[in-house]
Amino acid sequence: MDIPEPRFAVTPYGDVNAAALDNLRQSFDTTALLELVERLAPIAQRFEKTGGVRDELLRLHRMAHTVINGANPSESSADDLWEVAAALIDEFRQMSDHCLEIAAALQPLADLEPHHDA
């Protein structure tokens, strides 16, 4: 009886696709994951409670509330409303690009999903 080689490999962290694992062992540099942590650090800093994008969104809200709803000004700013919004849009787009790059770098590890034969 001819028994085919298994298409998965058993590891301490679950079964993985054997062919994909062999490929990654030849080509994947795990230190790249540490570099991703470093690339994520500036983005994470921008989400800190004080002085981050949360505060800037709240500032934008106060400005918009005044302009759109007629509320009393509560924000002194040399910036125009649209400038603050445009700067945040640019920053979020840059963050999005970085996050997509990180996701692409992680994809080979997700591709280790095994395909068990039924």
Side-chain angles (χ1 to χ4, degrees), residues 35-48:
E35 292 169 11
L36 295 178
V37 171
E38 293 304 314
R39 289 179 59 194
L40 189 60
I43 295 171
Q45 279 184 321
R46 291 295 293 141
F47 284 97
E48 290 181 357

Side-chain angles (χ1 to χ4, degrees), residues 44-106:
Q45 279 184 321
R46 291 295 293 141
F47 284 97
E48 290 181 357
K49 288 189 177 186
T50 305
V53 291
R54 178 184 181 279
D55 284 350
E56 291 181 32
L57 283 170
L58 289 171
R59 175 177 174 235
L60 181 62
H61 167 263
R62 291 188 298 272
M63 294 170 77
H65 186 50
T66 298
V67 171
I68 295 169
N69 299 329
N72 289 328
S74 62
E75 188 70 36
S76 61
S77 176
D79 299 319
D80 292 335
L81 171 69
W82 65 268
E83 289 176 314
V84 175
L88 281 167
I89 289 167
D90 287 344
E91 184 170 6
F92 278 113
R93 286 188 174 145
Q94 288 175 2
M95 286 181 192
S96 175
D97 289 344
H98 286 301
C99 290
L100 290 172
E101 290 169 7
I102 290 169
L106 297 177

Side-chain angles (χ1 to χ4, degrees), residues 6-9 16-25 112-115:
R7 295 175 42 192
F8 66 94
V16 297
N17 180 302
L21 178 60
D22 287 342
N23 186 37
L24 285 186
R25 284 181 171 158
L112 288 172
E113 178 183 4
H115 303 285

